Amino acid sequence: MKSDREVTIRIVRKKRAHKGHHGGAWKVAFADFMTSMMALFLVLWLITQSSEVRSAIAGYFQDPLGRANEFGTSVIPGQGQSSLVAARPDVQIQPADGKRNAMLDLSQRVKDELAKNADLKGLSGHVAIEVTPDGLRISLLEDSSDVFFASGSARPLPRAEALIRAIGTVLGSAAYPIVVEGHTDAHKYPNDSTYGNWELSADRANAARRLLREGGVADPQVLAVRGLADRDPRIIDDPKDPRNRRVTILVSTPATPVTADSVQPKMGPIRIGDHANTAVRPPAPPTVP
């Protein structure tokens, strides 16, 4: 018989079931939180920066590969601006704030210079000044009354000479590089003529270049003189409209003004559309001892 003091001890071992894996959803949530915090700090940093820094950062994200100078200026891939593009969108992409302000200031200086001369006030309706993605475009617009050039002639009229010289005074003091372009309407010369719209547009552009130089534009500022004939009409629906006859002065704003010392013997490529033509200065004549 067992003693009354004897106690039976029983050990019961229970098996505990393991809980299921809780998954990695928390990692996704944490990553979203960190991304949001980084974006917040980036925005807080950007709003404390100057407009030039913000413009530079925006320009990088618009063109991270730096191909805008190669194919035209546009924030939309594959839609570079070209001087030969026929369509003109109603809304144009504006340049960075710093350069745009410089263009606006230059355009106002041109307007003030023209306003000084009472004889030129009547031509204000024939001078279009607009800021473009490439710089400042000053267009001298013709009509059926032959404002700047007589029809078929490359010789500037007296009022055109005074106007272009006045523009040259402002552009010469700004020392920015310019390109002068001549345009005609689609009216053709007689079939037996060896002189046509190509020659006429180039001669008018070159005549404007000479007047700009008389006004104060230095030779190193002129990057190109182009004759585009009737290939870039202003009135697209009517290529024969006399308002397509015009001379345009394209002004760009580089980081530093153009001076005689800053021009290299070999200039960079000048692009029209997707075709590049490299302009090279002729070598200097040898020095004779």
Side-chain angles (χ1 to χ4, degrees):
M1 295 180 62
K2 295 183 179 180
S3 172
D4 294 339
R5 294 184 178 182
E6 291 182 356
V7 179
T8 302
I9 300 175
R10 296 180 179 180
I11 300 174
V12 179
R13 293 185 174 89
K14 296 182 179 180
K15 294 184 178 180
R16 296 181 180 180
H18 294 285
K19 294 183 179 180
H21 195 272
H22 48 69
W26 70 274
K27 299 178 182 178
V28 177
F30 182 72
D32 291 341
F33 172 75
M34 294 301 296
T35 302
S36 301
M37 293 300 296
M38 183 175 63
L40 174 63
F41 291 136
L42 180 61
V43 171
L44 294 176
W45 175 77
L46 281 175
I47 62 178
T48 62
Q49 303 304 308
S50 62
S51 59
E52 288 78 7
V53 174
R54 293 197 299 268
S55 299
I57 295 174
Y60 171 78
F61 283 102
Q62 292 169 1
D63 183 29
L65 299 180
R67 304 178 70 182
N69 293 333
E70 181 179 359
F71 297 105
T73 303
S74 174
V75 297
I76 304 176
Q79 294 189 6
Q81 299 282 337
S82 168
S83 61
L84 293 184
V85 175
R88 285 187 169 87
D90 295 334
V91 180
Q92 291 185 336
I93 301 167
Q94 298 296 345
D97 291 342
K99 289 187 176 181
R100 185 171 186 271
N101 291 336
M103 314 264 186
L104 292 174
D105 178 69
L106 184 61
S107 66
Q108 187 59 48
R109 290 171 57 189
V110 172
K111 294 176 183 178
D112 293 343
E113 183 66 25
L114 299 183
K116 292 180 182 179
N117 192 331
D119 297 334
L120 301 180
K121 291 183 179 179
L123 299 176
S124 59
H126 296 276
V127 180
I129 305 176
E130 53 188 337
V131 176
T132 72
D134 298 322
L136 185 70
R137 179 188 290 118
I138 304 173
S139 301
L140 310 183
L141 308 176
E142 292 279 1
D143 60 18
S144 57
S145 62
D146 297 339
V147 181
F148 301 107
F149 295 88
S151 180
S153 172
R155 183 173 183 178
L157 298 174
R159 51 191 170 187
E161 294 180 355
L163 180 102
I164 298 175
R165 287 193 188 101
I167 295 175
T169 300
V170 178
L171 300 185
S173 62
Y176 291 134
I178 65 175
V179 174
V180 186
E181 296 179 345
H183 306 263
T184 67
D185 54 32
H187 286 286
K188 305 297 181 182
Y189 276 74
N191 294 333
D192 58 349
S193 175
T194 58
Y195 190 90
N197 286 335
W198 288 108
E199 290 80 9
L200 179 61
S201 61
D203 289 345
R204 285 179 174 176
N206 207 28
R209 177 196 62 81
R210 289 191 291 266
L211 292 172
L212 289 172
R213 183 180 61 182
E214 293 177 9
V217 171
D219 285 338
Q221 288 181 245
V222 182
L223 298 184
V225 177
R226 302 168 179 164
L228 300 182
D230 59 344
R231 296 300 190 266
D232 185 20
R234 184 177 179 87
I235 311 300
I236 301 175
D237 296 335
D238 187 5
K240 293 186 178 182
D241 192 300
R243 289 174 293 177
N244 290 321
R245 297 161 45 202
R246 66 197 189 279
V247 171
T248 59
I249 305 168
L250 307 175
V251 186
S252 59
T253 55
T256 56
V258 177
T259 62
D261 296 334
S262 65
V263 176
Q264 301 297 325
K266 183 176 181 179
M267 299 171 62
I270 300 175
R271 293 188 175 271
I272 302 178
D274 293 333
H275 304 283
N277 297 318
T278 303
V280 182
R281 288 174 174 265
T287 304
V288 179

